[in-house]
Amino acid sequence: MYRIGSNFIGSSKLTTSTEMHQVVPSPPTHWSKGYNFYRFSFHNTIPCTVKINEDEPIFLRGRQGFNTDYYDAPIRSFVIIEPGVQFNWVAGY
């Protein structure tokens, strides 16, 4: 099974996190639901802890990153817990 996406979205530049930084943006105002990414790629420059889909925290080493594909659970929420983490991301929806 695979999913045919509609578009891509992501960082326009390297970004620095704030405390409890939600990476997944709010959807356009005319949408009835939030984003549901079938592909997601996150790249961190330093170690950090993230919460994915409001689940238990996961530690990522510096430059480890995190990637999903169409056969993984969709990403609805991706929170960087610590402030000061430089990162960029890209996703398909």
Side-chain angles (χ1 to χ4, degrees):
M1 179 175 135
Y2 66 94
R3 177 176 167 181
I4 298 174
S6 301
N7 213 338
F8 295 96
I9 189 171
S11 304
S12 60
K13 62 182 180 183
L14 194 61
T15 304
T16 302
S17 68
T18 56
E19 186 175 357
M20 299 303 288
H21 188 106
Q22 175 60 260
V23 175
V24 177
S26 297
T29 56
H30 64 279
W31 286 18
S32 61
K33 294 183 180 181
Y35 284 105
N36 197 16
F37 299 138
Y38 74 97
R39 288 184 182 210
F40 183 81
S41 184
F42 171 82
H43 303 279
N44 54 310
T45 59
I46 63 173
C48 65
T49 309
V50 299
K51 287 185 81 170
I52 303 166
N53 295 341
E54 296 95 30
D55 215 341
E56 294 299 313
I58 297 172
F59 175 75
L60 300 175
R61 294 173 308 195
R63 301 190 184 277
Q64 179 178 355
F66 179 83
N67 297 290
T68 67
D69 212 333
Y70 68 91
Y71 44 78
D72 295 312
I75 301 292
R76 323 179 287 284
S77 173
F78 193 95
V79 175
I80 306 168
I81 294 176
E82 300 89 357
V85 177
Q86 287 190 315
F87 70 94
N88 70 295
W89 67 281
V90 64
Y93 65 93

